[in-house]
Amino acid sequence: MYRDPVQSLEAPSLPSSATAMRPLRVGMIGIGTVGAGTFRVLARNQALIAGRAGRGIKMVVVCARSLARAMSVVGKDVALTNDPMQVATHPDVDVLVEAAGGTGPARDWVLAAIRAGKHVVTANKALLAEHGNEIFAAARQHGVAVAYEGAVAVSIPIVKALREGLTANRIEWVAGIINGTTNFILSKMRDEGVGFAEALAQAQTLGYAEADPTFDIEGLDAAHKISLLAANAFGMPLRFADAQVEGITALQGLDVACAEQLGYRIKLLGVARRRKDGEVDGVELRVQPALVPATHLLAHVNGSMNAVMVKGDASGVTMYYGAGAGSEQTASAVIADLVDVARLQGTHAAQRVPHLGFHADAVKDSLAVLPRAAVHTRHYLRVPVHQAQQIEAVGAWLAAQQVPVLRVELACEKTAPAGAGPQVLVLTDAVAQSTVDLAVHALAAHPAVAGPVAALRVEMLEG
């Protein structure tokens, strides 16, 4: 993530051991799931971490609502407070770990720490998606780092991969399953044939979903993450407000089964794709449930696991897989960021990897997020009809509306539940969303059609 200063080849002046340099002093706001995991892993692996960082990493002060609970986690050797600003501006803190979550107060704490000359580590994707442009600008002004590997896909080092491992590439697209809750729900709907509500209840019982799961099931959490990945991939500011976001609350079990019949599986995907063809120059930035071929690697990412794929012009397609949630899984990423910060001593800010992968003068403020109508993908349509023989009328009518139809068939009896009536399943070739929207709207009034038409995108994600 960051580069150490260039050293002379002659008689380097380095400490003889990690203990010879003053430890990196950490202040943390929040001692919940992420904070407690971070403290535990730091304590358990302190010698290993120091050996990799070149110095120790020491927790010196923690802010928590319940000081008694905090002491039960961190013991008596760490100072405790219930004032977040005291941690953010503490004179004995080198780096702030923001582990409380939220956006408003967290923004204030982070900006206060930056103004006080402190580095910041956070796994708060909502904070960065909504206020990251302001936070990164402040960090550049004050010469400090803001690290956030844990904000996207938790234990998967995808931010580091984009900013460092793939730095030679022109990134063409980034796509992935980046919300474990919705992936668990969709896996249950496919494997057990249960409806959305029952699958969500199971996720809540097992702790995969919050009591209020809105951010997950409506796609907002995934949109925060894909906004961060797009900025790192394409050299653009964070554009969360422009992302097209669709969750899985309206998804029917019938469509999960029909997708299986066609040889596909439905996943909630975050997709960022650079489009530069003809007069179109921009980025598709979207989250939606989509069909992927059953043979595709992403189709086999199940349960609460995450996976991200990146297409680079030189590297080709690479894939990154791992846990999408968890206390110590998130701590793994947070501490990796702390190790990077610990290596910064003596490094000029201009030598560090930029916060969003591109130096400020190379960021393309003019790179726009394309509107929904301009998104170009294949599509799946499920058209309920009065009689099975009307399948030909549906296919012919769509072709007349300039929809490039690739495949038309009826849902088989074991796919469609009793009483659902005949269902015509359509797969199209790649076509603009605007064309599909017009066709679906008009198709609803066709005399052969017996109910609402279901429409989902199909993502091939080819190399």
Side-chain angles (χ1 to χ4, degrees):
M1 175 179 171
Y2 301 105
R3 183 162 68 89
D4 289 333
V6 176
Q7 299 288 345
S8 168
L9 295 178
E10 298 180 1
S13 177
L14 295 173
S16 58
S17 70
T19 59
M21 190 182 294
R22 178 178 61 76
L24 181 75
R25 300 168 299 179
V26 179
M28 186 161 66
I29 299 174
I31 195 69
T33 300
V34 175
T38 298
F39 184 85
R40 285 196 304 269
V41 176
L42 268 176
R44 185 173 72 233
N45 295 337
Q46 57 181 308
L48 178 70
I49 292 166
R52 287 173 169 158
R55 60 197 293 197
I57 298 176
K58 181 181 180 182
M59 193 75 66
V60 297
V61 58
V62 168
C63 174
R65 290 192 182 96
S66 170
L67 299 186
R69 181 186 178 281
M71 183 173 289
S72 71
V73 175
V74 303
K76 298 180 179 179
D77 294 333
V78 178
L80 298 174
T81 178
N82 53 20
D83 181 1
M85 279 297 182
Q86 186 177 352
V87 178
T89 60
H90 199 291
D92 294 330
V93 165
D94 302 311
V95 54
L96 171 69
V97 172
E98 185 281 305
T103 54
R107 167 188 171 274
D108 296 338
W109 306 331
V110 166
L111 288 175
I114 289 170
R115 287 192 293 268
K118 304 183 189 308
H119 305 294
V120 173
V121 171
T122 182
N124 189 339
K125 76 285 293 186
L127 170 69
L128 295 179
E130 296 182 22
H131 301 294
N133 292 327
E134 177 189 17
I135 289 170
F136 296 138
R140 286 193 300 272
Q141 179 184 352
H142 292 277
V144 298
V146 177
Y148 54 93
E149 186 66 69
V152 183
V154 181
S155 65
I156 304 172
I158 184 60
V159 175
K160 187 179 287 288
L162 283 170
R163 293 198 303 202
E164 298 183 47
L166 297 173
T167 192
N169 287 260
R170 182 181 70 251
I171 303 300
E172 299 179 16
W173 52 260
V174 181
I177 297 165
I178 47 180
N179 181 272
T181 299
T182 50
N183 200 45
F184 176 87
I185 291 170
L186 292 174
S187 297
K188 286 291 180 181
M189 291 176 71
R190 178 179 63 84
D191 295 340
E192 300 179 10
V194 300
F196 169 78
E198 184 177 344
L200 172 59
Q202 289 186 39
Q204 289 173 317
T205 299
L206 294 170
Y208 291 122
E210 302 286 346
D212 179 1
T214 302
F215 260 52
D216 293 323
I217 62 177
E218 295 293 356
L220 293 171
D221 175 80
H224 290 145
K225 296 169 181 175
I226 198 63
S227 298
L228 286 164
L229 294 180
N232 280 282
F234 306 123
M236 61 190 289
L238 287 157
R239 295 274 172 74
F240 165 69
D242 297 329
Q244 301 148 35
V245 186
E246 179 184 348
I248 63 171
T249 53
L251 185 66
Q252 297 184 40
L254 175 56
D255 291 305
V256 174
C258 288
E260 289 284 320
Q261 176 182 321
L262 294 170
Y264 292 81
R265 293 178 181 173
I266 297 177
K267 297 292 185 180
L268 183 73
L269 296 181
V271 179
R273 184 186 298 273
R274 180 73 190 271
R275 288 265 307 282
K276 195 171 184 179
D277 46 83
E279 297 181 359
V280 176
D281 184 11
V283 173
E284 295 180 5
L285 185 62
R286 47 195 169 86
V287 171
Q288 82 276 312
L291 281 71
V292 295
T295 55
H296 197 279
L297 286 171
L298 286 180
H300 298 275
V301 177
N302 296 315
S304 63
M305 302 303 285
N306 281 192
V308 180
M309 301 189 81
V310 183
K311 171 68 182 301
D313 69 323
S315 65
V317 176
T318 54
M319 180 173 173
Y320 310 84
Y321 172 88
S327 175
E328 294 201 356
Q329 289 85 349
T330 308
S332 172
V334 169
I335 295 168
D337 282 339
L338 286 173
V339 169
D340 283 333
V341 171
R343 294 167 174 166
L344 287 180
Q345 183 157 318
T347 304
H348 191 277
Q351 292 181 291
R352 303 171 192 163
V353 174
H355 297 110
L356 290 173
F358 289 74
H359 285 281
D361 59 357
V363 172
K364 303 180 184 70
D365 291 322
S366 62
L367 190 57
V369 173
L370 297 175
R372 181 179 186 276
V375 171
H376 206 78
T377 66
R378 297 187 183 191
H379 285 80
Y380 153 92
L381 305 177
R382 177 178 53 79
V383 186
V385 293
H386 296 290
Q387 298 178 0
Q389 296 87 339
Q390 292 168 318
I391 181 174
E392 293 184 4
V394 170
W397 191 90
L398 285 170
Q401 302 301 310
Q402 308 303 311
V403 176
V405 175
L406 290 177
R407 181 177 171 186
V408 182
E409 65 183 70
L410 283 171
C412 62
E413 291 183 6
K414 68 177 183 179
T415 297
Q423 307 287 319
V424 178
L425 309 181
V426 180
L427 290 177
T428 79
D429 203 348
V431 61
Q433 184 70 51
S434 57
T435 300
V436 173
D437 287 344
L438 287 172
V440 168
H441 179 74
L443 188 59
H446 194 285
V449 177
V453 178
L456 293 168
R457 290 180 177 137
V458 178
E459 295 288 351
M460 302 305 290
L461 299 177
E462 296 168 325

